[in-house]
Amino acid sequence: MSARLTESPAVLVAGEFGVSLRMGRILKQAGQAIPLPRCRFFEVNPKHPLIERLKETADDASFSDLAHVLYDAGDAGEGGELDDPAFSCGA
């Protein structure tokens, strides 16, 4: 649970000494090694309407789908890319 998120439902962040996904890309493009293993944490805003909806979802399949959407949105916000964007968009 995040105390710092106010408008976003979720975010993926690097640990205290970790390297963000964007910084890892910059280091890689500069020919540098990433100093520490990349460990990211999934923070959620417990007051966001989507998280409230997730709390109320009793169906396992719906819960899983919504959780994956939130995770993918957090990953995209960090600069990540979807594995298969066409599949993720329902095409």
Side-chain angles (χ1 to χ4, degrees), residues 2-3 5 17 21-22 24 27 37 43-44 52 58 69 72 79 84 91:
S2 176
L5 292 177
F17 300 107
L21 186 61
R22 290 180 188 184
L27 290 171
E43 292 185 11
V44 296
E52 291 292 331
V69 167
D72 286 344
D84 186 352

Side-chain angles (χ1 to χ4, degrees), residues 4 13 16 18-19 35 56 61 66 78-79:
R4 64 187 180 98
V13 295
E16 183 177 358
V19 176
E56 298 169 1
L66 186 53
E78 173 66 13

Side-chain angles (χ1 to χ4, degrees), residues 40-71:
R40 299 186 299 166
F41 297 93
F42 184 55
E43 292 185 11
V44 296
N45 175 359
K47 297 178 182 176
H48 193 277
L50 287 176
I51 302 302
E52 291 292 331
R53 182 174 173 192
L54 188 62
K55 289 182 204 175
E56 298 169 1
T57 303
D59 178 49
D60 287 344
S62 296
F63 182 93
S64 178
D65 288 345
L66 186 53
H68 280 96
V69 167
L70 288 170
Y71 186 87

Side-chain angles (χ1 to χ4, degrees), residues 22-42:
R22 290 180 188 184
M23 181 56 75
R25 284 189 183 146
I26 291 170
L27 290 171
K28 185 177 178 181
Q29 290 173 350
Q32 301 293 316
I34 298 175
L36 296 172
R38 195 178 77 224
C39 180
R40 299 186 299 166
F41 297 93
F42 184 55

